[in-house]
Amino acid sequence: MPALEPEIHSVTETTRQIKNLVEGNFPYTWVIGEISNCTIAGSGHVYMTLKDDAAQLRAVIWKRTASRLKFQLEDGMEVIAAGPIEVYQARGTYQLNIEQLLPQGVGALELAFRQMQEKLTAEGLFDAEHKRPIPQFPRKIALVTSPTSAAVRDMLQVITRRWKAVDLVIVPVAVQGEGAAEQIAAGIKVAEGIPQVDTIITGRGGGSLEDLWAFNEEVVARAIFECQIPIISAVGHEIDISIADLVADRRALTPSEAAELAVPLQDDISATLTHWKNQLVTNLKQRARQVRFQLDALADRPALTRPLDMIHHRATQIDELDRRLKRSTQELISRFQSQTTQLSSALDALSPLKVLSRGYSISRVETGKESETTALIKSIEQIKPGDTLQTQVSDGTITSQIQAVAKESQSGATN
C-alpha cells in the first residue's frame, strides 16, 4: 500500500488554524496573575505580562478600556483579568485582550482611592499650611453642585434661615456619571470668576462609592487646590471621606453642615451685638462717672478756686530773688575792687619808676644800630669815652657825653 503524502500547510494557513482553534476555545476567559513589564504606549494602549510561578501570558488593554480604569497599574500587583485570547498572526503570538481588570484582595475603587491619596499626599495638597480660613461673614456663596438634588435644597434652606445677608449663586454641574469630575472642576473655576464670591461649597448627598467617585478624581482635587477662594467640601454622609474633602479648606460631614459652616447664625450674632452694646453702655456710664469725679476734684483745687494766690506767691519769690541777686552782685564787685587795689599797690612797688624816685637812675648808651638805637648799660665794657649817654631820673632824662671810663678795682680804687 503506497505511503500517504503528508499535507503541507503554509505558515499563514497554520497560524490561521491555530488562531481559529485558540480563539474558538477561549472566547472569554478569566485569568489571575501578577503584573510585570507594564508599559503605557503613546497611543494610550497598555501592554503587560501576567505571570505566576510557572508561566507567563502576554496581555493588552486597549486605550478605551484603559481610560476607564479607576486605579493605577503597577508591576507586582496581583489582578484578575478577563477577556478573549487573541492570536496575532503577523508574529505568531497570542495575548489576552483585557476587557475587565480587578485588583486581587481589594476593590478597584478602594485601591484607586488609596493610590490617589498617596500621590496627592506626597505632593502636599493635603497640608494644613495651604488651608485658607472661611470668611465669618460671607457676602456671596457659590454652590457647585447639581441644581436638582436634595443636597442643594438643604443648603439653600439652612443658609437662608441662618443668615439672610448673603447672596447665593448656583453653578450647575453633574455630580456623578461620565464626565462629572470634569464638570465639577470647571464649575469651581466658573465660581472663582464670579464677582464678590468669597466662599464656595461643592458636594452632593450620600450614595455608593461609585456614585461619589467624581469627587475622588484628580482633576477635581487640583481644581480645589488651585482655587483662590476658600472651599468647603461636603460629599456624602458622615462616614464618607473623599479626596475632595481632604484637599478642601474645610470638610463638612453633610451638605447641611457645610451650610452651617459657611454662615453664622443670625440670632447668635444679634445676641452678641446686644451683649456688646449693653457692655459698651455700662462702660461709658462708668467712665463718665469717673471723669465727673475727676472734674469735681480739680474744681476744688486752690489753683482754680484762688488762681491769684499762685501769682502773688510767684511774684514774692521773684522779688526775693531780685534782692538776693543785687546783694550778691554788690558783694562780688566790692571783693573785686579790693583785690584790684591790692594788686595795684604790689605792681606800683615793683615799678622801675618807683625805684627812680628814691635817687636811682637808669643809663643807656647810643649804639648807632638801626634795629636798636640805645642799650641799657650794665657794665663799663659797653661804653667808651665820647659815647653819648641817656640817663633817666625820676623827673626826666639827662643827655651827656663820656669823658673817661674808670674801672673799680677790688680794693675800691678807680683807674
PDB file of all heavy atoms in Angstrom, residues 218-251:
ATOM      1  N   GLU A 218      -8.675  63.139  40.270  1.00  0.00           N
ATOM      2  CA  GLU A 218      -7.551  64.067  40.417  1.00  0.00           C
ATOM      3  C   GLU A 218      -7.879  65.455  39.882  1.00  0.00           C
ATOM      4  O   GLU A 218      -7.454  66.466  40.449  1.00  0.00           O
ATOM      5  CB  GLU A 218      -6.323  63.510  39.703  1.00  0.00           C
ATOM      6  CG  GLU A 218      -5.079  64.367  39.864  1.00  0.00           C
ATOM      7  CD  GLU A 218      -3.845  63.719  39.252  1.00  0.00           C
ATOM      8  OE1 GLU A 218      -3.964  62.597  38.701  1.00  0.00           O
ATOM      9  OE2 GLU A 218      -2.760  64.331  39.331  1.00  0.00           O
ATOM     10  N   VAL A 219      -8.652  65.535  38.818  1.00  0.00           N
ATOM     11  CA  VAL A 219      -8.955  66.836  38.224  1.00  0.00           C
ATOM     12  C   VAL A 219      -9.728  67.714  39.202  1.00  0.00           C
ATOM     13  O   VAL A 219      -9.530  68.937  39.271  1.00  0.00           O
ATOM     14  CB  VAL A 219      -9.726  66.644  36.896  1.00  0.00           C
ATOM     15  CG1 VAL A 219     -11.086  66.001  37.134  1.00  0.00           C
ATOM     16  CG2 VAL A 219      -9.906  67.983  36.181  1.00  0.00           C
ATOM     17  N   VAL A 220     -10.614  67.106  40.006  1.00  0.00           N
ATOM     18  CA  VAL A 220     -11.368  67.871  41.000  1.00  0.00           C
ATOM     19  C   VAL A 220     -10.446  68.314  42.135  1.00  0.00           C
ATOM     20  O   VAL A 220     -10.504  69.464  42.594  1.00  0.00           O
ATOM     21  CB  VAL A 220     -12.542  67.031  41.549  1.00  0.00           C
ATOM     22  CG1 VAL A 220     -13.240  67.756  42.697  1.00  0.00           C
ATOM     23  CG2 VAL A 220     -13.537  66.737  40.436  1.00  0.00           C
ATOM     24  N   ALA A 221      -9.581  67.413  42.582  1.00  0.00           N
ATOM     25  CA  ALA A 221      -8.655  67.749  43.665  1.00  0.00           C
ATOM     26  C   ALA A 221      -7.773  68.931  43.290  1.00  0.00           C
ATOM     27  O   ALA A 221      -7.569  69.855  44.089  1.00  0.00           O
ATOM     28  CB  ALA A 221      -7.805  66.531  44.014  1.00  0.00           C
ATOM     29  N   ARG A 222      -7.266  68.927  42.080  1.00  0.00           N
ATOM     30  CA  ARG A 222      -6.369  70.012  41.669  1.00  0.00           C
ATOM     31  C   ARG A 222      -7.140  71.316  41.471  1.00  0.00           C
ATOM     32  O   ARG A 222      -6.608  72.405  41.718  1.00  0.00           O
ATOM     33  CB  ARG A 222      -5.608  69.616  40.418  1.00  0.00           C
ATOM     34  CG  ARG A 222      -4.687  68.420  40.647  1.00  0.00           C
ATOM     35  CD  ARG A 222      -3.611  68.290  39.604  1.00  0.00           C
ATOM     36  NE  ARG A 222      -2.761  67.137  39.898  1.00  0.00           N
ATOM     37  CZ  ARG A 222      -1.752  67.140  40.758  1.00  0.00           C
ATOM     38  NH1 ARG A 222      -1.480  68.246  41.429  1.00  0.00           N
ATOM     39  NH2 ARG A 222      -1.021  66.053  40.963  1.00  0.00           N
ATOM     40  N   ALA A 223      -8.372  71.229  41.006  1.00  0.00           N
ATOM     41  CA  ALA A 223      -9.173  72.447  40.855  1.00  0.00           C
ATOM     42  C   ALA A 223      -9.432  73.085  42.221  1.00  0.00           C
ATOM     43  O   ALA A 223      -9.380  74.320  42.363  1.00  0.00           O
ATOM     44  CB  ALA A 223     -10.486  72.122  40.161  1.00  0.00           C
ATOM     45  N   ILE A 224      -9.703  72.265  43.229  1.00  0.00           N
ATOM     46  CA  ILE A 224      -9.915  72.788  44.583  1.00  0.00           C
ATOM     47  C   ILE A 224      -8.629  73.405  45.119  1.00  0.00           C
ATOM     48  O   ILE A 224      -8.637  74.490  45.707  1.00  0.00           O
ATOM     49  CB  ILE A 224     -10.414  71.671  45.519  1.00  0.00           C
ATOM     50  CG1 ILE A 224     -11.814  71.207  45.088  1.00  0.00           C
ATOM     51  CG2 ILE A 224     -10.439  72.138  46.971  1.00  0.00           C
ATOM     52  CD1 ILE A 224     -12.338  70.020  45.872  1.00  0.00           C
ATOM     53  N   PHE A 225      -7.514  72.726  44.922  1.00  0.00           N
ATOM     54  CA  PHE A 225      -6.227  73.200  45.452  1.00  0.00           C
ATOM     55  C   PHE A 225      -5.817  74.515  44.796  1.00  0.00           C
ATOM     56  O   PHE A 225      -5.271  75.405  45.460  1.00  0.00           O
ATOM     57  CB  PHE A 225      -5.158  72.135  45.224  1.00  0.00           C
ATOM     58  CG  PHE A 225      -3.810  72.500  45.771  1.00  0.00           C
ATOM     59  CD1 PHE A 225      -3.549  72.394  47.130  1.00  0.00           C
ATOM     60  CD2 PHE A 225      -2.814  72.963  44.931  1.00  0.00           C
ATOM     61  CE1 PHE A 225      -2.299  72.739  47.652  1.00  0.00           C
ATOM     62  CE2 PHE A 225      -1.564  73.314  45.437  1.00  0.00           C
ATOM     63  CZ  PHE A 225      -1.315  73.199  46.802  1.00  0.00           C
ATOM     64  N   GLU A 226      -6.057  74.666  43.519  1.00  0.00           N
ATOM     65  CA  GLU A 226      -5.626  75.858  42.788  1.00  0.00           C
ATOM     66  C   GLU A 226      -6.577  77.029  42.940  1.00  0.00           C
ATOM     67  O   GLU A 226      -6.226  78.168  42.599  1.00  0.00           O
ATOM     68  CB  GLU A 226      -5.468  75.517  41.307  1.00  0.00           C
ATOM     69  CG  GLU A 226      -4.338  74.519  41.032  1.00  0.00           C
ATOM     70  CD  GLU A 226      -4.365  73.975  39.618  1.00  0.00           C
ATOM     71  OE1 GLU A 226      -5.253  74.422  38.834  1.00  0.00           O
ATOM     72  OE2 GLU A 226      -3.529  73.121  39.285  1.00  0.00           O
ATOM     73  N   CYS A 227      -7.776  76.785  43.448  1.00  0.00           N
ATOM     74  CA  CYS A 227      -8.766  77.862  43.597  1.00  0.00           C
ATOM     75  C   CYS A 227      -8.300  78.856  44.665  1.00  0.00           C
ATOM     76  O   CYS A 227      -7.824  78.470  45.738  1.00  0.00           O
ATOM     77  CB  CYS A 227     -10.128  77.281  43.965  1.00  0.00           C
ATOM     78  SG  CYS A 227     -11.431  78.532  44.100  1.00  0.00           S
ATOM     79  N   GLN A 228      -8.437  80.149  44.394  1.00  0.00           N
ATOM     80  CA  GLN A 228      -8.005  81.192  45.316  1.00  0.00           C
ATOM     81  C   GLN A 228      -9.090  81.568  46.323  1.00  0.00           C
ATOM     82  O   GLN A 228      -8.838  82.383  47.220  1.00  0.00           O
ATOM     83  CB  GLN A 228      -7.586  82.434  44.527  1.00  0.00           C
ATOM     84  CG  GLN A 228      -6.418  82.204  43.586  1.00  0.00           C
ATOM     85  CD  GLN A 228      -5.194  81.696  44.306  1.00  0.00           C
ATOM     86  OE1 GLN A 228      -4.748  82.271  45.296  1.00  0.00           O
ATOM     87  NE2 GLN A 228      -4.637  80.580  43.828  1.00  0.00           N
ATOM     88  N   ILE A 229     -10.263  80.991  46.200  1.00  0.00           N
ATOM     89  CA  ILE A 229     -11.364  81.273  47.121  1.00  0.00           C
ATOM     90  C   ILE A 229     -11.529  80.066  48.050  1.00  0.00           C
ATOM     91  O   ILE A 229     -11.466  78.923  47.598  1.00  0.00           O
ATOM     92  CB  ILE A 229     -12.667  81.539  46.336  1.00  0.00           C
ATOM     93  CG1 ILE A 229     -12.498  82.798  45.475  1.00  0.00           C
ATOM     94  CG2 ILE A 229     -13.853  81.700  47.286  1.00  0.00           C
ATOM     95  CD1 ILE A 229     -13.685  83.082  44.585  1.00  0.00           C
ATOM     96  N   PRO A 230     -11.735  80.279  49.350  1.00  0.00           N
ATOM     97  CA  PRO A 230     -11.906  79.154  50.279  1.00  0.00           C
ATOM     98  C   PRO A 230     -13.067  78.243  49.862  1.00  0.00           C
ATOM     99  O   PRO A 230     -14.131  78.719  49.465  1.00  0.00           O
ATOM    100  CB  PRO A 230     -12.188  79.837  51.612  1.00  0.00           C
ATOM    101  CG  PRO A 230     -11.584  81.193  51.480  1.00  0.00           C
ATOM    102  CD  PRO A 230     -11.750  81.578  50.043  1.00  0.00           C
ATOM    103  N   ILE A 231     -12.835  76.932  49.963  1.00  0.00           N
ATOM    104  CA  ILE A 231     -13.814  75.943  49.526  1.00  0.00           C
ATOM    105  C   ILE A 231     -14.167  75.019  50.681  1.00  0.00           C
ATOM    106  O   ILE A 231     -13.282  74.510  51.388  1.00  0.00           O
ATOM    107  CB  ILE A 231     -13.288  75.114  48.337  1.00  0.00           C
ATOM    108  CG1 ILE A 231     -13.086  76.013  47.114  1.00  0.00           C
ATOM    109  CG2 ILE A 231     -14.236  73.972  48.000  1.00  0.00           C
ATOM    110  CD1 ILE A 231     -12.576  75.276  45.882  1.00  0.00           C
ATOM    111  N   ILE A 232     -15.473  74.790  50.841  1.00  0.00           N
ATOM    112  CA  ILE A 232     -15.977  73.786  51.782  1.00  0.00           C
ATOM    113  C   ILE A 232     -16.447  72.588  50.959  1.00  0.00           C
ATOM    114  O   ILE A 232     -17.234  72.743  50.020  1.00  0.00           O
ATOM    115  CB  ILE A 232     -17.146  74.335  52.627  1.00  0.00           C
ATOM    116  CG1 ILE A 232     -16.692  75.581  53.407  1.00  0.00           C
ATOM    117  CG2 ILE A 232     -17.659  73.273  53.585  1.00  0.00           C
ATOM    118  CD1 ILE A 232     -17.820  76.268  54.157  1.00  0.00           C
ATOM    119  N   SER A 233     -15.966  71.409  51.324  1.00  0.00           N
ATOM    120  CA  SER A 233     -16.365  70.189  50.623  1.00  0.00           C
ATOM    121  C   SER A 233     -17.353  69.418  51.489  1.00  0.00           C
ATOM    122  O   SER A 233     -17.115  69.207  52.681  1.00  0.00           O
ATOM    123  CB  SER A 233     -15.136  69.317  50.320  1.00  0.00           C
ATOM    124  OG  SER A 233     -15.532  68.087  49.753  1.00  0.00           O
ATOM    125  N   ALA A 234     -18.467  68.999  50.890  1.00  0.00           N
ATOM    126  CA  ALA A 234     -19.491  68.231  51.609  1.00  0.00           C
ATOM    127  C   ALA A 234     -19.970  67.115  50.694  1.00  0.00           C
ATOM    128  O   ALA A 234     -20.876  67.307  49.885  1.00  0.00           O
ATOM    129  CB  ALA A 234     -20.647  69.144  52.008  1.00  0.00           C
ATOM    130  N   VAL A 235     -19.322  65.965  50.830  1.00  0.00           N
ATOM    131  CA  VAL A 235     -19.603  64.839  49.932  1.00  0.00           C
ATOM    132  C   VAL A 235     -20.166  63.680  50.736  1.00  0.00           C
ATOM    133  O   VAL A 235     -19.489  63.139  51.621  1.00  0.00           O
ATOM    134  CB  VAL A 235     -18.328  64.398  49.188  1.00  0.00           C
ATOM    135  CG1 VAL A 235     -18.656  63.249  48.238  1.00  0.00           C
ATOM    136  CG2 VAL A 235     -17.730  65.571  48.411  1.00  0.00           C
ATOM    137  N   GLY A 236     -21.395  63.298  50.436  1.00  0.00           N
ATOM    138  CA  GLY A 236     -21.986  62.120  51.059  1.00  0.00           C
ATOM    139  C   GLY A 236     -22.420  62.362  52.484  1.00  0.00           C
ATOM    140  O   GLY A 236     -22.843  63.459  52.865  1.00  0.00           O
ATOM    141  N   HIS A 237     -22.312  61.293  53.284  1.00  0.00           N
ATOM    142  CA  HIS A 237     -22.716  61.345  54.686  1.00  0.00           C
ATOM    143  C   HIS A 237     -21.479  61.393  55.574  1.00  0.00           C
ATOM    144  O   HIS A 237     -20.341  61.472  55.091  1.00  0.00           O
ATOM    145  CB  HIS A 237     -23.575  60.133  55.024  1.00  0.00           C
ATOM    146  CG  HIS A 237     -24.862  60.097  54.236  1.00  0.00           C
ATOM    147  ND1 HIS A 237     -25.757  61.133  54.236  1.00  0.00           N
ATOM    148  CD2 HIS A 237     -25.374  59.144  53.407  1.00  0.00           C
ATOM    149  CE1 HIS A 237     -26.792  60.828  53.451  1.00  0.00           C
ATOM    150  NE2 HIS A 237     -26.569  59.622  52.933  1.00  0.00           N
ATOM    151  N   GLU A 238     -21.702  61.309  56.871  1.00  0.00           N
ATOM    152  CA  GLU A 238     -20.623  61.456  57.834  1.00  0.00           C
ATOM    153  C   GLU A 238     -19.514  60.440  57.646  1.00  0.00           C
ATOM    154  O   GLU A 238     -18.330  60.742  57.824  1.00  0.00           O
ATOM    155  CB  GLU A 238     -21.195  61.357  59.252  1.00  0.00           C
ATOM    156  CG  GLU A 238     -20.168  61.543  60.348  1.00  0.00           C
ATOM    157  CD  GLU A 238     -20.810  61.550  61.722  1.00  0.00           C
ATOM    158  OE1 GLU A 238     -22.039  61.551  61.808  1.00  0.00           O
ATOM    159  OE2 GLU A 238     -20.043  61.544  62.702  1.00  0.00           O
ATOM    160  N   ILE A 239     -19.863  59.199  57.263  1.00  0.00           N
ATOM    161  CA  ILE A 239     -18.862  58.136  57.158  1.00  0.00           C
ATOM    162  C   ILE A 239     -18.089  58.205  55.847  1.00  0.00           C
ATOM    163  O   ILE A 239     -17.065  57.535  55.697  1.00  0.00           O
ATOM    164  CB  ILE A 239     -19.523  56.752  57.291  1.00  0.00           C
ATOM    165  CG1 ILE A 239     -20.561  56.556  56.169  1.00  0.00           C
ATOM    166  CG2 ILE A 239     -20.162  56.601  58.658  1.00  0.00           C
ATOM    167  CD1 ILE A 239     -21.144  55.165  56.142  1.00  0.00           C
ATOM    168  N   ASP A 240     -18.547  59.012  54.902  1.00  0.00           N
ATOM    169  CA  ASP A 240     -17.887  59.089  53.596  1.00  0.00           C
ATOM    170  C   ASP A 240     -16.768  60.131  53.639  1.00  0.00           C
ATOM    171  O   ASP A 240     -16.970  61.259  54.085  1.00  0.00           O
ATOM    172  CB  ASP A 240     -18.901  59.477  52.503  1.00  0.00           C
ATOM    173  CG  ASP A 240     -20.028  58.450  52.394  1.00  0.00           C
ATOM    174  OD1 ASP A 240     -19.729  57.250  52.395  1.00  0.00           O
ATOM    175  OD2 ASP A 240     -21.198  58.882  52.311  1.00  0.00           O
ATOM    176  N   ILE A 241     -15.606  59.733  53.150  1.00  0.00           N
ATOM    177  CA  ILE A 241     -14.477  60.664  53.032  1.00  0.00           C
ATOM    178  C   ILE A 241     -13.983  60.590  51.593  1.00  0.00           C
ATOM    179  O   ILE A 241     -13.659  59.511  51.094  1.00  0.00           O
ATOM    180  CB  ILE A 241     -13.338  60.308  53.999  1.00  0.00           C
ATOM    181  CG1 ILE A 241     -13.819  60.405  55.448  1.00  0.00           C
ATOM    182  CG2 ILE A 241     -12.161  61.251  53.784  1.00  0.00           C
ATOM    183  CD1 ILE A 241     -12.756  60.059  56.458  1.00  0.00           C
ATOM    184  N   SER A 242     -13.909  61.741  50.953  1.00  0.00           N
ATOM    185  CA  SER A 242     -13.478  61.796  49.561  1.00  0.00           C
ATOM    186  C   SER A 242     -12.148  62.543  49.464  1.00  0.00           C
ATOM    187  O   SER A 242     -11.717  63.226  50.401  1.00  0.00           O
ATOM    188  CB  SER A 242     -14.537  62.495  48.700  1.00  0.00           C
ATOM    189  OG  SER A 242     -14.629  63.869  49.067  1.00  0.00           O
ATOM    190  N   ILE A 243     -11.523  62.432  48.310  1.00  0.00           N
ATOM    191  CA  ILE A 243     -10.298  63.200  48.050  1.00  0.00           C
ATOM    192  C   ILE A 243     -10.603  64.693  48.112  1.00  0.00           C
ATOM    193  O   ILE A 243      -9.800  65.489  48.606  1.00  0.00           O
ATOM    194  CB  ILE A 243      -9.707  62.813  46.680  1.00  0.00           C
ATOM    195  CG1 ILE A 243      -9.283  61.341  46.674  1.00  0.00           C
ATOM    196  CG2 ILE A 243      -8.538  63.720  46.322  1.00  0.00           C
ATOM    197  CD1 ILE A 243      -8.154  61.008  47.615  1.00  0.00           C
ATOM    198  N   ALA A 244     -11.772  65.086  47.620  1.00  0.00           N
ATOM    199  CA  ALA A 244     -12.161  66.497  47.677  1.00  0.00           C
ATOM    200  C   ALA A 244     -12.225  66.991  49.120  1.00  0.00           C
ATOM    201  O   ALA A 244     -11.839  68.124  49.415  1.00  0.00           O
ATOM    202  CB  ALA A 244     -13.510  66.697  46.986  1.00  0.00           C
ATOM    203  N   ASP A 245     -12.709  66.140  50.041  1.00  0.00           N
ATOM    204  CA  ASP A 245     -12.763  66.518  51.454  1.00  0.00           C
ATOM    205  C   ASP A 245     -11.367  66.781  52.004  1.00  0.00           C
ATOM    206  O   ASP A 245     -11.156  67.704  52.802  1.00  0.00           O
ATOM    207  CB  ASP A 245     -13.416  65.399  52.279  1.00  0.00           C
ATOM    208  CG  ASP A 245     -14.896  65.230  51.963  1.00  0.00           C
ATOM    209  OD1 ASP A 245     -15.523  66.219  51.555  1.00  0.00           O
ATOM    210  OD2 ASP A 245     -15.411  64.110  52.117  1.00  0.00           O
ATOM    211  N   LEU A 246     -10.402  65.971  51.588  1.00  0.00           N
ATOM    212  CA  LEU A 246      -9.049  66.068  52.138  1.00  0.00           C
ATOM    213  C   LEU A 246      -8.309  67.306  51.633  1.00  0.00           C
ATOM    214  O   LEU A 246      -7.499  67.888  52.370  1.00  0.00           O
ATOM    215  CB  LEU A 246      -8.260  64.805  51.784  1.00  0.00           C
ATOM    216  CG  LEU A 246      -8.807  63.498  52.355  1.00  0.00           C
ATOM    217  CD1 LEU A 246      -7.985  62.325  51.859  1.00  0.00           C
ATOM    218  CD2 LEU A 246      -8.813  63.526  53.881  1.00  0.00           C
ATOM    219  N   VAL A 247      -8.575  67.718  50.399  1.00  0.00           N
ATOM    220  CA  VAL A 247      -7.840  68.851  49.832  1.00  0.00           C
ATOM    221  C   VAL A 247      -8.548  70.179  50.076  1.00  0.00           C
ATOM    222  O   VAL A 247      -7.927  71.240  50.012  1.00  0.00           O
ATOM    223  CB  VAL A 247      -7.607  68.638  48.321  1.00  0.00           C
ATOM    224  CG1 VAL A 247      -8.887  68.839  47.538  1.00  0.00           C
ATOM    225  CG2 VAL A 247      -6.514  69.555  47.799  1.00  0.00           C
ATOM    226  N   ALA A 248      -9.841  70.153  50.390  1.00  0.00           N
ATOM    227  CA  ALA A 248     -10.608  71.390  50.583  1.00  0.00           C
ATOM    228  C   ALA A 248     -10.124  72.133  51.828  1.00  0.00           C
ATOM    229  O   ALA A 248      -9.476  71.573  52.714  1.00  0.00           O
ATOM    230  CB  ALA A 248     -12.101  71.083  50.703  1.00  0.00           C
ATOM    231  N   ASP A 249     -10.456  73.424  51.895  1.00  0.00           N
ATOM    232  CA  ASP A 249     -10.068  74.233  53.048  1.00  0.00           C
ATOM    233  C   ASP A 249     -10.839  73.831  54.305  1.00  0.00           C
ATOM    234  O   ASP A 249     -10.357  74.007  55.417  1.00  0.00           O
ATOM    235  CB  ASP A 249     -10.312  75.718  52.740  1.00  0.00           C
ATOM    236  CG  ASP A 249      -9.475  76.188  51.560  1.00  0.00           C
ATOM    237  OD1 ASP A 249      -8.245  76.217  51.690  1.00  0.00           O
ATOM    238  OD2 ASP A 249     -10.056  76.492  50.506  1.00  0.00           O
ATOM    239  N   ARG A 250     -12.022  73.287  54.132  1.00  0.00           N
ATOM    240  CA  ARG A 250     -12.819  72.821  55.275  1.00  0.00           C
ATOM    241  C   ARG A 250     -13.687  71.663  54.811  1.00  0.00           C
ATOM    242  O   ARG A 250     -14.248  71.693  53.716  1.00  0.00           O
ATOM    243  CB  ARG A 250     -13.695  73.978  55.800  1.00  0.00           C
ATOM    244  CG  ARG A 250     -14.422  73.686  57.099  1.00  0.00           C
ATOM    245  CD  ARG A 250     -13.474  73.685  58.283  1.00  0.00           C
ATOM    246  NE  ARG A 250     -14.171  73.373  59.523  1.00  0.00           N
ATOM    247  CZ  ARG A 250     -14.740  74.276  60.325  1.00  0.00           C
ATOM    248  NH1 ARG A 250     -14.713  75.552  59.982  1.00  0.00           N
ATOM    249  NH2 ARG A 250     -15.320  73.910  61.450  1.00  0.00           N
ATOM    250  N   ARG A 251     -13.781  70.630  55.624  1.00  0.00           N
ATOM    251  CA  ARG A 251     -14.625  69.490  55.289  1.00  0.00           C
ATOM    252  C   ARG A 251     -15.875  69.509  56.155  1.00  0.00           C
ATOM    253  O   ARG A 251     -15.805  69.728  57.361  1.00  0.00           O
ATOM    254  CB  ARG A 251     -13.880  68.182  55.517  1.00  0.00           C
ATOM    255  CG  ARG A 251     -14.732  66.966  55.139  1.00  0.00           C
ATOM    256  CD  ARG A 251     -14.470  65.777  56.018  1.00  0.00           C
ATOM    257  NE  ARG A 251     -15.439  64.704  55.765  1.00  0.00           N
ATOM    258  CZ  ARG A 251     -15.647  63.671  56.553  1.00  0.00           C
ATOM    259  NH1 ARG A 251     -14.968  63.566  57.682  1.00  0.00           N
ATOM    260  NH2 ARG A 251     -16.539  62.754  56.252  1.00  0.00           N
TER     261      ARG A 251
END
